Each structure stands twice: as C-alpha cells, then as structure tokens.
Coordinates of all heavy atoms in Angstrom, one line a residue:
M1 N 44.6 134.0 -86.3 CA 44.6 135.4 -86.6 C 43.7 135.7 -87.8 O 43.6 135.0 -88.8 CB 46.0 136.0 -87.0 CG 47.0 135.9 -85.9 SD 47.6 137.5 -85.6 CE 48.8 137.1 -84.4
G2 N 42.8 136.7 -87.6 CA 41.9 137.1 -88.7 C 42.5 138.4 -89.3 O 43.3 139.1 -88.8
R3 N 42.0 138.6 -90.6 CA 42.3 139.8 -91.3 C 41.1 140.5 -91.9 O 40.2 139.8 -92.4 CB 43.3 139.5 -92.4 CG 44.8 139.3 -91.9 CD 45.7 139.2 -93.0 NE 45.3 138.1 -93.9 CZ 45.9 138.0 -95.1 NH1 46.6 138.9 -95.6 NH2 45.5 137.0 -95.9
V4 N 41.0 141.8 -91.8 CA 40.0 142.6 -92.3 C 40.6 143.4 -93.6 O 41.7 143.9 -93.4 CB 39.4 143.6 -91.3 CG1 38.4 144.5 -91.9 CG2 38.8 142.8 -90.1
V5 N 39.9 143.5 -94.6 CA 40.4 144.2 -95.8 C 39.5 145.5 -95.9 O 38.2 145.4 -95.7 CB 40.3 143.5 -97.1 CG1 38.9 143.0 -97.5 CG2 41.0 144.2 -98.2
V6 N 40.1 146.6 -96.1 CA 39.4 147.9 -96.2 C 39.8 148.5 -97.6 O 41.0 148.6 -97.8 CB 39.8 148.9 -95.1 CG1 39.1 150.2 -95.4 CG2 39.4 148.3 -93.7
D7 N 38.9 148.8 -98.4 CA 39.1 149.4 -99.8 C 38.6 150.8 -99.7 O 37.4 151.0 -99.3 CB 38.5 148.6 -100.9 CG 39.2 147.2 -101.1 OD1 40.4 147.1 -100.9 OD2 38.4 146.3 -101.5
V8 N 39.4 151.7 -100.1 CA 39.1 153.2 -100.2 C 39.3 153.6 -101.6 O 40.3 153.3 -102.3 CB 40.0 153.9 -99.2 CG1 39.6 155.4 -99.3 CG2 39.7 153.4 -97.8
M9 N 38.4 154.4 -102.2 CA 38.4 154.9 -103.6 C 38.1 156.4 -103.5 O 37.4 156.9 -102.7 CB 37.4 154.2 -104.5 CG 37.6 152.8 -104.7 SD 39.1 152.4 -105.6 CE 38.8 153.1 -107.2
P10 N 38.7 157.2 -104.5 CA 38.4 158.6 -104.6 C 36.9 158.7 -104.9 O 36.3 157.9 -105.7 CB 39.2 159.0 -105.8 CG 40.2 158.0 -106.1 CD 39.7 156.7 -105.5
K11 N 36.3 159.8 -104.4 CA 34.9 160.0 -104.8 C 34.8 160.2 -106.3 O 35.8 160.6 -107.0 CB 34.4 161.2 -104.1 CG 34.2 161.0 -102.5 CD 33.7 162.3 -101.9 CE 33.5 162.0 -100.4 NZ 32.3 161.5 -100.0
P12 N 33.6 159.8 -106.9 CA 33.5 160.0 -108.3 C 33.8 161.3 -108.9 O 34.3 161.5 -110.0 CB 32.1 159.5 -108.6 CG 31.6 158.8 -107.4 CD 32.5 159.3 -106.3
E13 N 33.4 162.4 -108.1 CA 33.6 163.8 -108.7 C 35.1 164.3 -108.5 O 35.4 165.3 -109.0 CB 32.6 164.7 -108.0 CG 32.8 164.8 -106.5 CD 32.0 163.8 -105.7 OE1 31.5 162.8 -106.2 OE2 31.9 164.0 -104.4
I14 N 35.9 163.5 -107.8 CA 37.3 163.9 -107.6 C 38.2 163.4 -108.8 O 38.1 162.3 -109.2 CB 37.9 163.3 -106.3 CG1 37.0 163.9 -105.1 CG2 39.4 163.6 -106.2 CD1 37.1 165.3 -104.9
L15 N 39.0 164.3 -109.3 CA 39.9 163.9 -110.4 C 40.9 162.9 -109.9 O 41.4 162.9 -108.7 CB 40.7 165.1 -111.0 CG 39.8 166.1 -111.7 CD1 40.7 167.3 -112.1 CD2 39.2 165.6 -112.9
D16 N 41.3 161.9 -110.8 CA 42.1 160.8 -110.4 C 43.3 160.8 -111.4 O 43.3 160.0 -112.3 CB 41.4 159.5 -110.3 CG 42.2 158.3 -110.0 OD1 43.4 158.5 -109.6 OD2 41.7 157.2 -110.1
P17 N 44.3 161.6 -111.1 CA 45.4 161.7 -112.1 C 46.2 160.4 -112.2 O 46.6 160.0 -113.4 CB 46.4 162.8 -111.6 CG 45.9 163.1 -110.2 CD 44.6 162.6 -110.1
Q18 N 46.3 159.6 -111.2 CA 47.0 158.4 -111.3 C 46.2 157.3 -112.1 O 46.8 156.7 -113.0 CB 47.3 157.8 -109.9 CG 48.3 158.5 -109.1 CD 48.5 158.0 -107.7 OE1 47.4 157.9 -107.0 NE2 49.7 157.8 -107.3
G19 N 44.9 157.3 -111.9 CA 44.1 156.5 -112.7 C 44.1 156.9 -114.2 O 44.1 156.0 -115.1
K20 N 44.1 158.2 -114.5 CA 44.2 158.7 -115.9 C 45.5 158.2 -116.5 O 45.6 157.9 -117.7 CB 44.0 160.1 -115.9 CG 42.6 160.6 -115.7 CD 42.4 162.1 -116.2 CE 41.0 162.5 -116.0 NZ 40.0 161.9 -116.9
A21 N 46.6 158.3 -115.8 CA 47.9 157.9 -116.3 C 47.9 156.4 -116.6 O 48.4 156.0 -117.6 CB 49.1 158.2 -115.3
V22 N 47.4 155.6 -115.7 CA 47.3 154.2 -116.0 C 46.4 153.9 -117.2 O 46.7 153.1 -118.1 CB 46.8 153.4 -114.7 CG1 46.6 151.9 -115.1 CG2 47.8 153.5 -113.6
A23 N 45.2 154.6 -117.3 CA 44.3 154.4 -118.4 C 45.0 154.7 -119.7 O 44.8 154.1 -120.7 CB 43.1 155.2 -118.2
G24 N 45.8 155.8 -119.7 CA 46.6 156.1 -120.9 C 47.6 155.1 -121.3 O 47.9 154.9 -122.5
A25 N 48.2 154.5 -120.3 CA 49.3 153.5 -120.6 C 48.8 152.2 -121.0 O 49.5 151.5 -121.8 CB 50.2 153.4 -119.3
L26 N 47.6 151.8 -120.6 CA 47.2 150.4 -120.9 C 47.0 150.1 -122.5 O 47.6 149.1 -122.9 CB 45.8 150.2 -120.2 CG 45.9 149.9 -118.7 CD1 44.5 149.9 -118.1 CD2 46.6 148.7 -118.3
P27 N 46.5 151.0 -123.2 CA 46.4 150.7 -124.6 C 47.7 150.6 -125.3 O 47.9 149.8 -126.2 CB 45.6 151.9 -125.2 CG 44.9 152.6 -124.1 CD 45.7 152.2 -122.9
R28 N 48.6 151.5 -124.9 CA 50.0 151.4 -125.4 C 50.7 150.1 -125.1 O 51.6 149.7 -125.9 CB 50.9 152.6 -124.9 CG 50.4 154.0 -125.4 CD 51.4 155.0 -125.1 NE 51.7 155.1 -123.7 CZ 51.2 155.9 -122.8 NH1 50.1 156.6 -123.1 NH2 51.6 155.9 -121.5
L29 N 50.2 149.4 -124.1 CA 50.8 148.1 -123.7 C 50.0 146.9 -124.2 O 50.2 145.8 -123.8 CB 51.0 148.1 -122.2 CG 52.0 149.2 -121.7 CD1 51.9 149.1 -120.1 CD2 53.4 148.9 -122.1
G30 N 49.1 147.2 -125.0 CA 48.2 146.2 -125.7 C 47.0 145.8 -124.9 O 46.3 144.8 -125.2
F31 N 46.6 146.6 -123.8 CA 45.4 146.3 -123.1 C 44.3 147.3 -123.5 O 44.1 148.3 -122.8 CB 45.6 146.4 -121.6 CG 46.7 145.4 -121.1 CD1 48.0 145.7 -120.9 CD2 46.3 144.0 -120.9 CE1 48.9 144.9 -120.4 CE2 47.2 143.1 -120.4 CZ 48.6 143.5 -120.2
D32 N 43.7 147.1 -124.6 CA 42.7 148.1 -125.2 C 41.3 147.8 -124.8 O 40.4 148.5 -125.2 CB 42.9 148.2 -126.7 CG 42.7 146.9 -127.4 OD1 42.5 145.8 -126.7 OD2 42.8 146.9 -128.6
Q33 N 41.0 146.8 -123.9 CA 39.7 146.5 -123.5 C 39.1 147.5 -122.4 O 38.0 147.5 -122.2 CB 39.6 145.1 -122.8 CG 40.2 144.0 -123.5 CD 41.7 143.8 -123.3 OE1 42.5 144.7 -123.1 NE2 42.1 142.5 -123.4
F34 N 40.0 148.3 -121.8 CA 39.6 149.1 -120.6 C 39.5 150.5 -121.0 O 40.4 151.1 -121.7 CB 40.6 149.0 -119.5 CG 41.0 147.5 -119.2 CD1 42.2 146.9 -119.6 CD2 40.0 146.7 -118.5 CE1 42.4 145.6 -119.3 CE2 40.3 145.4 -118.2 CZ 41.5 144.8 -118.6
V35 N 38.4 151.1 -120.6 CA 38.1 152.5 -121.1 C 38.4 153.6 -120.0 O 38.6 154.7 -120.3 CB 36.6 152.7 -121.5 CG1 36.4 151.8 -122.8 CG2 35.7 152.3 -120.4
S36 N 38.5 153.1 -118.7 CA 38.8 154.1 -117.6 C 39.4 153.3 -116.5 O 39.2 152.1 -116.3 CB 37.6 154.9 -117.2 OG 36.7 154.1 -116.5
V37 N 40.1 154.1 -115.6 CA 40.8 153.4 -114.4 C 40.6 154.4 -113.3 O 40.8 155.6 -113.5 CB 42.3 153.2 -114.7 CG1 43.0 152.7 -113.4 CG2 42.5 152.2 -115.8
R38 N 40.3 153.9 -112.1 CA 40.3 154.7 -110.9 C 41.2 153.9 -109.9 O 41.1 152.7 -109.8 CB 38.9 154.8 -110.3 CG 37.9 155.4 -111.2 CD 37.5 156.8 -111.1 NE 37.3 157.4 -109.8 CZ 37.6 158.7 -109.6 NH1 38.0 159.4 -110.6 NH2 37.4 159.3 -108.5
Q39 N 42.2 154.7 -109.3 CA 43.1 154.0 -108.4 C 42.7 154.4 -107.0 O 42.5 155.5 -106.7 CB 44.5 154.5 -108.7 CG 45.6 153.8 -107.8 CD 47.0 154.1 -108.3 OE1 47.3 154.3 -109.4 NE2 47.9 154.3 -107.3
G40 N 42.7 153.3 -106.2 CA 42.3 153.5 -104.8 C 43.4 153.0 -103.9 O 44.5 152.7 -104.2
K41 N 43.0 152.7 -102.6 CA 43.9 152.2 -101.6 C 43.2 150.9 -100.9 O 42.0 150.8 -100.8 CB 44.1 153.2 -100.4 CG 44.7 154.5 -100.9 CD 45.0 155.4 -99.8 CE 43.8 156.0 -99.2 NZ 44.0 157.1 -98.2
R42 N 44.1 150.0 -100.6 CA 43.7 148.8 -99.9 C 44.4 148.7 -98.6 O 45.7 148.7 -98.6 CB 43.9 147.5 -100.8 CG 43.6 146.2 -100.1 CD 43.9 145.1 -101.0 NE 43.9 143.8 -100.3 CZ 43.0 142.9 -100.6 NH1 42.0 143.1 -101.4 NH2 43.0 141.8 -99.9
F43 N 43.8 148.4 -97.5 CA 44.4 148.2 -96.2 C 44.0 146.7 -95.8 O 42.9 146.3 -96.0 CB 43.8 149.2 -95.2 CG 44.2 150.6 -95.5 CD1 43.3 151.4 -96.2 CD2 45.4 151.2 -95.1 CE1 43.6 152.7 -96.5 CE2 45.6 152.5 -95.4 CZ 44.7 153.2 -96.1
E44 N 45.0 146.0 -95.2 CA 44.7 144.7 -94.5 C 45.0 144.9 -93.1 O 46.2 145.2 -92.7 CB 45.5 143.6 -95.2 CG 45.0 143.3 -96.6 CD 45.7 142.1 -97.2 OE1 46.4 141.4 -96.5 OE2 45.5 141.9 -98.4
L45 N 44.0 144.8 -92.2 CA 44.2 144.9 -90.8 C 44.1 143.5 -90.2 O 43.1 142.8 -90.3 CB 43.0 145.7 -90.2 CG 42.7 147.1 -90.9 CD1 41.5 147.7 -90.4 CD2 43.9 148.0 -90.7
E46 N 45.2 143.2 -89.4 CA 45.3 141.9 -88.8 C 44.8 142.0 -87.4 O 45.1 142.9 -86.7 CB 46.7 141.3 -88.8 CG 46.8 139.9 -88.5 CD 48.2 139.3 -88.8 OE1 49.0 139.4 -87.9 OE2 48.4 138.8 -89.9
V47 N 44.0 141.0 -86.9 CA 43.5 141.0 -85.5 C 43.8 139.7 -84.8 O 44.0 138.7 -85.5 CB 41.9 141.2 -85.4 CG1 41.6 142.6 -86.1 CG2 41.2 140.2 -86.2
E48 N 43.9 139.7 -83.5 CA 44.0 138.5 -82.7 C 42.7 137.8 -82.8 O 41.6 138.4 -82.6 CB 44.3 138.8 -81.3 CG 45.6 139.5 -81.0 CD 46.8 138.5 -81.2 OE1 46.6 137.2 -81.1 OE2 47.9 139.0 -81.4
G49 N 42.6 136.5 -83.1 CA 41.4 135.7 -83.0 C 40.7 135.9 -84.3 O 41.2 136.3 -85.4
D50 N 39.4 135.6 -84.2 CA 38.5 135.7 -85.3 C 38.0 137.1 -85.6 O 37.9 137.9 -84.7 CB 37.3 134.7 -85.2 CG 37.6 133.3 -85.1 OD1 38.7 132.9 -85.7 OD2 36.9 132.5 -84.4
V51 N 37.5 137.3 -86.9 CA 36.9 138.6 -87.2 C 35.4 138.4 -86.8 O 34.7 137.7 -87.4 CB 37.1 138.9 -88.7 CG1 36.3 140.1 -89.1 CG2 38.5 139.0 -89.1
T52 N 35.0 139.3 -85.8 CA 33.7 139.2 -85.4 C 33.0 140.5 -85.9 O 33.6 141.4 -86.4 CB 33.7 139.3 -83.8 OG1 34.3 140.6 -83.4 CG2 34.4 138.1 -83.2
P53 N 31.6 140.6 -85.7 CA 30.9 141.7 -86.1 C 31.4 143.0 -85.4 O 31.5 144.1 -86.0 CB 29.5 141.4 -85.7 CG 29.3 140.0 -85.8 CD 30.7 139.5 -85.3
E54 N 31.9 142.9 -84.2 CA 32.4 144.0 -83.4 C 33.8 144.5 -84.0 O 34.0 145.7 -84.1 CB 32.7 143.6 -81.9 CG 31.4 143.4 -81.1 CD 30.8 142.0 -81.4 OE1 31.5 141.1 -81.9 OE2 29.7 141.9 -81.1
V55 N 34.6 143.5 -84.5 CA 35.8 143.9 -85.2 C 35.5 144.6 -86.5 O 36.2 145.6 -86.8 CB 36.7 142.6 -85.4 CG1 37.8 142.9 -86.3 CG2 37.2 142.1 -84.1
L56 N 34.5 144.1 -87.3 CA 34.2 144.8 -88.5 C 33.6 146.2 -88.3 O 33.9 147.1 -89.1 CB 33.1 143.9 -89.3 CG 33.7 142.6 -89.9 CD1 32.5 141.8 -90.5 CD2 34.7 142.9 -91.0
D57 N 32.8 146.3 -87.2 CA 32.4 147.7 -86.9 C 33.5 148.6 -86.6 O 33.6 149.8 -87.0 CB 31.4 147.6 -85.7 CG 30.1 147.1 -86.1 OD1 29.7 147.0 -87.3 OD2 29.3 146.6 -85.1
A58 N 34.5 148.1 -85.7 CA 35.7 148.9 -85.4 C 36.5 149.3 -86.7 O 36.9 150.4 -86.8 CB 36.5 148.2 -84.4
A59 N 36.6 148.3 -87.6 CA 37.3 148.5 -88.8 C 36.6 149.6 -89.7 O 37.3 150.5 -90.3 CB 37.5 147.3 -89.6
Q60 N 35.3 149.5 -89.7 CA 34.5 150.5 -90.5 C 34.7 151.9 -89.9 O 35.0 152.9 -90.6 CB 33.0 150.2 -90.4 CG 32.1 151.2 -91.2 CD 32.3 151.0 -92.7 OE1 32.4 150.0 -93.2 NE2 32.2 152.2 -93.4
R61 N 34.7 152.1 -88.5 CA 35.0 153.4 -87.9 C 36.4 153.8 -88.2 O 36.6 155.1 -88.5 CB 34.7 153.3 -86.4 CG 33.2 153.1 -86.1 CD 32.9 153.3 -84.6 NE 33.8 152.6 -83.7 CZ 33.6 151.4 -83.2 NH1 32.6 150.7 -83.7 NH2 34.5 150.8 -82.4
A62 N 37.4 153.0 -88.1 CA 38.7 153.3 -88.4 C 38.8 153.8 -89.8 O 39.6 154.7 -90.2 CB 39.7 152.2 -88.1
A63 N 38.2 153.1 -90.7 CA 38.2 153.4 -92.2 C 37.7 154.7 -92.4 O 38.2 155.5 -93.2 CB 37.5 152.3 -93.0
E64 N 36.6 155.1 -91.7 CA 35.9 156.4 -92.0 C 36.7 157.6 -91.4 O 36.5 158.7 -91.8 CB 34.5 156.3 -91.5 CG 33.6 155.4 -92.3 CD 32.2 155.1 -91.6 OE1 32.1 155.5 -90.5 OE2 31.4 154.4 -92.3
T65 N 37.5 157.3 -90.3 CA 38.1 158.4 -89.5 C 39.6 158.5 -89.7 O 40.2 159.6 -89.6 CB 37.8 158.3 -88.0 OG1 38.3 157.1 -87.5 CG2 36.3 158.4 -87.8
V66 N 40.2 157.3 -90.0 CA 41.7 157.4 -90.1 C 42.3 156.9 -91.4 O 43.2 157.5 -91.9 CB 42.3 156.4 -88.9 CG1 43.8 156.4 -89.0 CG2 41.8 156.8 -87.5
L67 N 41.7 155.9 -92.0 CA 42.2 155.3 -93.2 C 41.8 156.1 -94.5 O 42.4 155.8 -95.5 CB 41.8 153.9 -93.3 CG 42.2 153.0 -92.1 CD1 41.7 151.6 -92.3 CD2 43.7 153.0 -91.9
S68 N 40.8 156.9 -94.4 CA 40.3 157.6 -95.6 C 40.2 159.1 -95.2 O 40.1 159.5 -94.1 CB 39.0 157.1 -96.0 OG 38.0 157.4 -95.1
N69 N 40.2 159.9 -96.3 CA 39.9 161.3 -96.2 C 38.4 161.5 -96.7 O 38.2 161.4 -97.8 CB 40.8 162.1 -97.0 CG 40.5 163.6 -96.9 OD1 39.5 164.0 -96.5 ND2 41.5 164.4 -97.4
P70 N 37.5 161.6 -95.7 CA 36.0 161.7 -96.2 C 35.7 162.8 -97.1 O 34.6 162.7 -97.7 CB 35.2 161.7 -94.9 CG 36.3 162.2 -93.8 CD 37.6 161.8 -94.3
V71 N 36.5 163.8 -97.2 CA 36.2 164.9 -98.1 C 36.4 164.4 -99.6 O 35.6 164.8 -100.5 CB 37.1 166.1 -97.8 CG1 36.9 167.2 -98.8 CG2 36.8 166.6 -96.4
I72 N 37.4 163.6 -99.8 CA 37.7 163.2 -101.2 C 37.6 161.7 -101.5 O 37.8 161.3 -102.6 CB 39.0 163.7 -101.7 CG1 40.1 163.1 -100.8 CG2 39.1 165.2 -101.6 CD1 41.6 163.4 -101.3
E73 N 37.4 160.9 -100.4 CA 37.4 159.5 -100.6 C 36.2 158.8 -100.0 O 35.6 159.3 -99.0 CB 38.7 158.8 -99.9 CG 39.9 159.3 -100.6 CD 41.1 158.8 -99.8 OE1 41.2 158.8 -98.6 OE2 42.1 158.4 -100.4
D74 N 35.8 157.6 -100.6 CA 34.7 156.8 -100.1 C 35.3 155.5 -99.6 O 36.2 154.9 -100.3 CB 33.6 156.5 -101.1 CG 32.9 157.7 -101.5 OD1 32.6 158.5 -100.6 OD2 32.4 157.8 -102.6
V75 N 34.8 155.0 -98.5 CA 35.1 153.6 -98.0 C 34.2 152.7 -98.8 O 33.0 152.8 -98.6 CB 35.0 153.5 -96.5 CG1 35.2 152.0 -96.1 CG2 35.9 154.4 -95.7
V76 N 34.7 151.9 -99.7 CA 33.9 151.1 -100.5 C 33.7 149.6 -100.0 O 32.7 148.9 -100.5 CB 34.3 151.1 -102.0 CG1 34.2 152.5 -102.6 CG2 35.7 150.5 -102.1
R77 N 34.6 149.2 -99.2 CA 34.4 147.8 -98.7 C 35.2 147.7 -97.4 O 36.3 148.1 -97.2 CB 34.9 146.8 -99.7 CG 34.7 145.4 -99.2 CD 35.1 144.4 -100.3 NE 36.4 144.4 -100.7 CZ 37.2 143.3 -100.9 NH1 36.6 142.1 -100.9 NH2 38.5 143.4 -101.2
V78 N 34.5 147.0 -96.4 CA 35.2 146.5 -95.1 C 34.7 145.1 -95.0 O 33.5 144.8 -94.9 CB 34.7 147.3 -93.9 CG1 35.4 146.8 -92.7 CG2 35.2 148.8 -94.1
A79 N 35.6 144.1 -95.1 CA 35.2 142.7 -95.1 C 36.2 141.8 -94.4 O 37.5 142.2 -94.4 CB 35.0 142.3 -96.5
D80 N 35.8 140.7 -93.9 CA 36.6 139.6 -93.4 C 37.3 139.0 -94.6 O 36.6 138.5 -95.4 CB 35.8 138.6 -92.6 CG 36.5 137.4 -92.1 OD1 37.7 137.2 -92.5 OD2 35.9 136.7 -91.3
I81 N 38.6 139.1 -94.7 CA 39.2 138.6 -95.9 C 39.1 137.1 -96.1 O 38.9 136.7 -97.3 CB 40.7 139.1 -95.9 CG1 41.3 139.0 -97.3 CG2 41.5 138.2 -95.0 CD1 42.6 139.7 -97.4
E82 N 39.0 136.4 -95.1 CA 38.9 134.9 -95.2 C 37.4 134.6 -95.7 O 37.2 133.7 -96.6 CB 39.1 134.2 -93.9 CG 40.5 134.4 -93.4 CD 41.6 133.9 -94.4 OE1 41.3 132.8 -95.1 OE2 42.7 134.5 -94.5
A83 N 36.4 135.2 -95.2 CA 35.0 135.0 -95.6 C 34.8 135.5 -97.0 O 34.1 134.8 -97.8 CB 34.0 135.7 -94.6
D84 N 35.5 136.6 -97.3 CA 35.4 137.1 -98.7 C 36.0 136.2 -99.7 O 35.4 136.0 -100.8 CB 36.1 138.5 -98.7 CG 35.6 139.5 -99.8 OD1 34.4 139.5 -100.0 OD2 36.5 140.1 -100.4
A85 N 37.2 135.6 -99.4 CA 37.8 134.7 -100.3 C 36.9 133.4 -100.5 O 36.8 132.9 -101.5 CB 39.2 134.3 -99.8
A86 N 36.3 133.0 -99.3 CA 35.5 131.7 -99.4 C 34.3 131.9 -100.2 O 33.9 131.1 -101.0 CB 35.1 131.3 -98.0
A87 N 33.6 133.2 -100.1 CA 32.5 133.5 -100.9 C 32.9 133.5 -102.4 O 32.1 133.1 -103.3 CB 31.9 134.8 -100.5
T88 N 34.1 134.1 -102.7 CA 34.5 134.2 -104.1 C 34.7 132.7 -104.7 O 34.2 132.5 -105.8 CB 35.8 134.9 -104.2 OG1 35.6 136.2 -103.7 CG2 36.3 135.0 -105.7
V89 N 35.3 131.9 -103.9 CA 35.5 130.5 -104.4 C 34.2 129.8 -104.6 O 34.0 129.2 -105.7 CB 36.3 129.7 -103.4 CG1 36.3 128.2 -103.6 CG2 37.8 130.2 -103.3
E90 N 33.2 130.0 -103.7 CA 31.9 129.4 -103.9 C 31.2 129.9 -105.1 O 30.6 129.2 -105.8 CB 31.1 129.6 -102.6 CG 31.5 128.7 -101.5 CD 30.6 129.0 -100.2 OE1 29.5 129.6 -100.4 OE2 31.1 128.7 -99.1
S91 N 31.2 131.2 -105.3 CA 30.5 131.8 -106.4 C 31.1 131.4 -107.8 O 30.4 131.4 -108.8 CB 30.5 133.3 -106.3 OG 31.7 133.9 -106.6
E92 N 32.4 131.0 -107.8 CA 33.0 130.7 -109.0 C 33.0 129.1 -109.2 O 33.5 128.6 -110.1 CB 34.5 131.2 -109.0 CG 34.5 132.7 -109.1 CD 36.0 133.2 -109.1 OE1 36.9 132.4 -109.0 OE2 36.1 134.4 -109.2
G93 N 32.4 128.5 -108.2 CA 32.2 127.0 -108.3 C 33.5 126.3 -108.1 O 33.6 125.1 -108.6
L94 N 34.4 126.8 -107.3 CA 35.7 126.2 -107.1 C 35.7 125.4 -105.8 O 36.7 124.8 -105.5 CB 36.8 127.2 -107.1 CG 37.0 128.0 -108.4 CD1 37.9 129.1 -108.3 CD2 37.3 127.1 -109.5
A95 N 34.7 125.5 -105.0 CA 34.7 124.8 -103.6 C 34.3 123.4 -103.8 O 33.7 122.9 -104.7 CB 33.7 125.5 -102.7

C-alpha cells in the first residue's frame, strides 16, 4: 500500500487566528525562537499498490477540489510519503 500526503495552508493574505493563538502561547511556554505561526491541514491518502504519477495527479486534483477551499487555502504539497521520507533521510545523511 502506498500513501500520498497532501498539505494545505491558508493563503498568506488570510488571517490565521489559530496560528496567532499558538504564536502567542509559544513564548509563554519557553519557546521564544519563533516569531510567527501558520496552521494548516495535512491529509494522508492511502492507495492500493504503489504511488504512481497518475495517483499523484489524482491526489492533486482531489486536493484542489475537495480537500481545500481554493478561495482561502493553497495546496502546498502533494507527495508520495515513502519517497518523501527517503529523500529526507538521504539529505540528512542518515541513509
């Protein structure tokens, strides 16, 4: 089974009250390194078999039409979660 991850974020011009609340709480909890927070959504879509380019295209279309509200949100990533994890491991020299 393969999995596709879809990340959706509010458009930059849209107010993000949840992100502002988290940004306000972080310094009070000792995390003063962060100056702003934007909160988005993450979807993991499981498919039979491998994640193919056709599956990624279908996930992109689903993300743009069902998983996000294109008026206020941007789809920022659609990726094969296994390939994404492998690329992260390689870039960090852990492979």
